[in-house]
Amino acid sequence: MVNLQIRDVPEDVRDALAARARENAQSLNMFLRDVVLREAAFARNRILIDKVTTDRRSSGVTTEDVMRALDAGRRRDGA
């Protein structure tokens, strides 16, 4: 694991973060670690969403194509 250090954080911001940590029964260090881990997970999710969106566009299938296929299936099944 690595250590991170953040400089030049305004005191009122540090106080607000410390208060949030206390509300969660965490140390400031653990609270900030969770924040950093969550942010990294969001970044990975964004990359995945962008990839899925790009892949979907490259398939050539449109929303209209999907709706027509659903309608045809419903007619075939008697729905």
Side-chain angles (χ1 to χ4, degrees):
M1 296 246 180
V2 300
N3 292 317
L4 299 176
Q5 183 177 32
I6 302 172
R7 296 179 183 188
D8 301 322
V9 176
E11 191 172 330
D12 62 323
V13 171
R14 191 213 69 86
D15 292 346
L17 292 169
R20 292 283 313 275
R22 279 191 303 276
E23 291 168 7
N24 290 312
Q26 292 179 296
S27 67
L28 180 57
N29 184 69
M30 291 308 294
F31 177 77
L32 292 174
R33 179 182 178 274
D34 289 348
V35 169
V36 170
L37 292 174
R38 191 169 45 248
E39 183 61 31
F42 288 154
R44 287 189 297 271
N45 290 345
R46 171 53 44 206
I47 291 167
L48 178 61
I49 289 168
D50 290 345
K51 182 182 178 334
V52 168
T53 302
T54 300
D55 290 349
R56 183 182 299 159
R57 278 189 229 124
S58 65
S59 74
V61 176
T62 67
T63 302
E64 291 77 23
D65 295 334
V66 172
M67 296 306 293
R68 278 194 291 276
L70 284 171
D71 288 342
R74 288 178 182 139
R75 283 192 300 276
R76 183 187 66 237
D77 294 340

